[in-house]
Amino acid sequence: MQKYFISHENLEALVIDGDDAFHITKVMRSKIGDKILVSDQNKTYLASIKSLDFNKVTFEIIDEKTGNMELPVFVSIFQGYPKGEKLDDIIKHGTELGVYEFYPTLMKRSVFKLEEKKKESKLVRFNKIAKEASEQSYRTYIPKVVDIIELKKIDFSKFDYKIYCYEESAKEFEKSNFKNIISNLKPNDKVAIVIGPEGGIDSSEVEYLNKLGFIPCGLGPRILRTETAVFYCMSAISYEMELLK
Amino acid sequence: MQKYFISHENLEALVIDGDDAFHITKVMRSKIGDKILVSDQNKTYLASIKSLDFNKVTFEIIDEKTGNMELPVFVSIFQGYPKGEKLDDIIKHGTELGVYEFYPTLMKRSVFKLEEKKKESKLVRFNKIAKEASEQSYRTYIPKVVDIIELKKIDFSKFDYKIYCYEESAKEFEKSNFKNIISNLKPNDKVAIVIGPEGGIDSSEVEYLNKLGFIPCGLGPRILRTETAVFYCMSAISYEMELLK
């Protein structure tokens, strides 16, 4: 069943408009009576379509959906800006896996050079990917792609735990820092995870992060690509906190 | 440092030929004296390049590399054949995460139709992706993409544990089967994981798998895309078995 995030006002008015109305009528080719999920990022309802127009769909609420879909901790991903379209996949799959917010981060070894005038349109695009992935994965909350920012301009003061994924740690078979931290997380903890771009984290950045109290973590003995590291971290946090023995 | 898998004979003869020699000379533009890793999938050595030609590179061994890079269990992924190029990413990232072997599996809801005459060339391509991902991630072993096969033609008798990732389990908040199994794995256990294609596992297939003793598993409350499910499973197994508290 397709889920749609709508504004609180539209939820009160039982109306879907804009791109989502187009999606329901033209892409999904829904019919009157078809069931959808609607959410204002606070509550989620099972709803039935009452009327269809390509720019306005109305619905009635059948039932409230309960059940927590969100990770019990807030994970912020500071992803070294990678090459090509990799960030699309990182945001898409990271959203499915429960990321709270993303900061595409400009680091020493990022090949990507930000043109300031393109920043807004990039952020709009990334946030659209996050919205669609949230709908697909039935999340309650849409993660924000907050800003494209230089590593040294980020304020990390709000975090309870700060880690960075470090290839050199993996090479030295460092295998306890990540699990030590993740297995001790408590609900509502705020976790910052820094992941380098393709070339890894530069030594001056490592020094900077260490000074800020970041912990270097190996993610097993194999060397992971930058996009795989975020999948590993998020999957492990879900496995640790959301699954039961 | 780049790793190259070569034949046992070439390792004895201290020679690299074929595509890898081309890669060293033309893609990496290596120089005499540059360091590489060479492996015959049994032992891995740090080596130094002695001579360079685009179809033949010779090297001398400096040191043996020890350290286990492989997951302590054998995980076979039976991946419902997905749309487009998704299988490339599943093989690439699955290899980094330690998959032992892949079977692209034709299931009821696979949109892909196999043309028998294209099967061999597809397998060659998939195995090339697995080799390159193994080199990049410093694995000791190259996982095999064994066959493109119909679900009901697979012999699952060798496995110690058999699970399938089930969207309906996630929707019902089933959260203990996966962790129960993964946290009880012992070294050298053989694990079969079936993952449906985009539309999920058909009810007749669920019945079939249940009869064979497969356990349905939810992977947390959010609904994962087919390609994300394999990343989740493999990351969780690594986290459980390779990292220490």
Side-chain angles (χ1 to χ4, degrees):
Chain A
M1 205 181 319
Q2 184 68 34
K3 179 169 184 170
Y4 296 95
F5 284 106
I6 61 178
S7 67
H8 182 64
E9 293 67 40
N10 277 358
L11 182 60
E12 297 254 292
L14 307 173
V15 163
I16 299 172
D17 54 19
D19 287 353
D20 291 332
F22 186 86
H23 189 266
I24 290 169
T25 50
K26 299 295 177 188
V27 182
M28 302 300 284
R29 294 183 200 167
S30 299
K31 296 184 190 65
I32 287 169
D34 280 359
K35 305 287 183 293
I36 53 174
L37 294 172
V38 290
S39 172
D40 64 352
Q41 296 195 60
N42 177 25
K43 296 197 165 183
T44 301
Y45 297 95
L46 177 66
S48 170
I49 293 172
K50 270 183 74 179
S51 74
L52 283 161
D53 196 350
F54 75 93
N55 59 9
K56 185 178 167 184
V57 169
T58 66
F59 61 87
E60 58 187 356
I61 285 171
I62 299 173
D63 202 7
E64 187 174 341
K65 299 287 278 185
T66 53
N68 183 18
M69 311 303 274
E70 295 297 321
L71 265 187
V73 289
F74 299 100
V75 184
S76 303
I77 296 288
F78 299 89
Q79 170 68 53
Y81 210 112
K83 285 183 200 163
E85 306 296 299
K86 280 184 191 170
L87 209 45
D88 292 11
D89 283 340
I90 290 168
I91 292 167
K92 190 163 69 179
H93 300 308
T95 295
E96 293 167 57
L97 292 165
V99 171
Y100 175 68
E101 59 181 11
F102 297 92
Y103 284 82
T105 304
L106 302 168
M107 296 175 70
K108 280 256 169 82
R109 296 187 188 155
S110 292
V111 176
F112 175 81
K113 296 286 170 237
L114 181 67
E115 292 174 59
E116 205 54 42
K117 64 181 179 190
K118 287 194 180 159
K119 182 164 148 174
E120 270 317 305
S121 67
K122 280 207 169 278
L123 283 172
V124 167
R125 197 176 115 68
F126 290 148
N127 278 294
K128 191 162 182 278
I129 292 171
K131 175 174 182 281
E132 287 168 3
S134 297
E135 289 170 345
Q136 164 130 15
S137 58
Y138 286 20
R139 283 189 64 167
T140 310
Y141 172 86
I142 307 171
K144 283 195 181 53
V145 186
V146 185
D147 199 3
I148 304 170
I149 188 166
E150 285 174 40
L151 179 66
K152 297 197 177 172
K153 290 190 178 156
I154 300 168
D155 175 9
F156 289 110
S157 60
K158 74 171 178 185
F159 293 101
D160 301 299
Y161 293 95
K162 296 180 290 228
I163 68 177
Y164 61 100
C165 303
Y166 197 37
E167 189 172 303
E168 296 306 318
S169 298
K171 284 182 184 162
E172 289 159 14
F173 298 100
E174 185 290 303
K175 47 176 81 168
S176 50
N177 288 349
F178 185 72
K179 200 169 192 167
N180 253 325
I181 291 169
I182 301 309
S183 63
N184 280 311
L185 291 177
K186 284 173 287 302
N188 298 317
D189 273 345
K190 293 183 186 72
V191 186
I193 302 181
V194 171
I195 298 169
E198 283 88 354
I201 303 179
D202 183 81
S203 62
S204 67
E205 291 169 332
V206 163
E207 215 172 290
Y208 176 76
L209 291 169
N210 288 344
K211 258 189 214 158
L212 291 180
F214 272 79
I215 308 290
C217 292
L219 303 174
R222 292 167 300 284
I223 305 303
L224 304 182
R225 280 168 203 259
T226 179
E227 65 269 39
T228 317
V230 63
F231 307 154
Y232 188 110
C233 292
M234 296 309 299
S235 301
I237 294 172
S238 166
Y239 176 79
E240 177 69 49
M241 303 199 77
E242 296 187 311
L243 300 190
L244 305 173
K245 266 193 226 186
Chain B
M1 206 182 316
Q2 185 67 35
K3 179 169 186 170
Y4 296 94
F5 285 105
I6 61 179
S7 68
H8 182 64
E9 293 67 38
N10 277 357
L11 182 61
E12 298 254 293
L14 305 174
V15 162
I16 299 173
D17 54 18
D19 286 354
D20 291 332
F22 185 85
H23 189 266
I24 290 170
T25 49
K26 299 296 178 188
V27 181
M28 301 300 287
R29 294 183 199 166
S30 299
K31 297 183 189 65
I32 289 169
D34 280 0
K35 305 285 184 293
I36 54 173
L37 294 172
V38 290
S39 172
D40 63 352
Q41 296 195 58
N42 178 25
K43 296 198 167 185
T44 301
Y45 297 95
L46 177 66
S48 169
I49 293 172
K50 270 183 73 180
S51 74
L52 283 160
D53 194 351
F54 74 94
N55 59 8
K56 185 179 168 184
V57 170
T58 65
F59 59 88
E60 58 186 354
I61 285 173
I62 299 174
D63 201 6
E64 186 174 342
K65 298 288 278 185
T66 51
N68 184 17
M69 310 303 274
E70 295 297 321
L71 263 187
V73 290
F74 299 100
V75 183
S76 303
I77 295 290
F78 299 89
Q79 171 67 52
Y81 211 112
K83 287 184 201 162
E85 307 296 300
K86 280 184 193 171
L87 211 44
D88 293 9
D89 282 339
I90 290 168
I91 292 167
K92 189 164 68 178
H93 300 309
T95 295
E96 293 166 57
L97 292 165
V99 170
Y100 174 69
E101 60 181 10
F102 296 92
Y103 285 83
T105 304
L106 302 168
M107 295 176 71
K108 280 257 168 81
R109 296 187 188 155
S110 292
V111 175
F112 174 82
K113 297 286 170 238
L114 181 67
E115 291 174 61
E116 204 56 40
K117 64 180 177 190
K118 289 194 180 161
K119 182 164 148 172
E120 271 318 304
S121 67
K122 278 203 171 282
L123 283 173
V124 167
R125 196 174 115 68
F126 290 148
N127 278 294
K128 190 161 182 280
I129 292 170
K131 175 173 181 283
E132 287 168 2
S134 297
E135 289 170 345
Q136 163 127 17
S137 59
Y138 286 19
R139 284 189 63 166
T140 310
Y141 172 86
I142 307 172
K144 286 198 177 52
V145 186
V146 186
D147 199 4
I148 303 171
I149 188 166
E150 285 174 39
L151 180 67
K152 296 196 177 174
K153 290 190 177 155
I154 300 168
D155 175 9
F156 289 109
S157 60
K158 75 171 176 183
F159 292 101
D160 301 299
Y161 293 95
K162 297 182 289 234
I163 68 177
Y164 60 100
C165 304
Y166 198 36
E167 187 173 305
E168 296 306 318
S169 297
K171 285 182 183 163
E172 289 159 12
F173 298 99
E174 186 289 302
K175 48 176 81 170
S176 49
N177 288 349
F178 185 71
K179 199 168 192 166
N180 254 325
I181 291 168
I182 300 310
S183 62
N184 281 312
L185 290 177
K186 282 173 288 300
N188 299 317
D189 274 345
K190 295 183 184 71
V191 186
I193 302 181
V194 172
I195 298 169
E198 283 89 353
I201 304 178
D202 183 81
S203 62
S204 68
E205 292 169 331
V206 163
E207 217 173 288
Y208 176 76
L209 292 169
N210 288 344
K211 258 188 213 157
L212 292 180
F214 273 80
I215 308 291
C217 292
L219 304 174
R222 292 166 301 282
I223 305 303
L224 304 182
R225 281 168 203 259
T226 179
E227 65 270 37
T228 317
V230 62
F231 307 153
Y232 188 108
C233 291
M234 297 308 299
S235 301
I237 294 172
S238 166
Y239 176 78
E240 178 69 48
M241 304 198 76
E242 297 187 310
L243 299 191
L244 305 172
K245 265 192 229 190

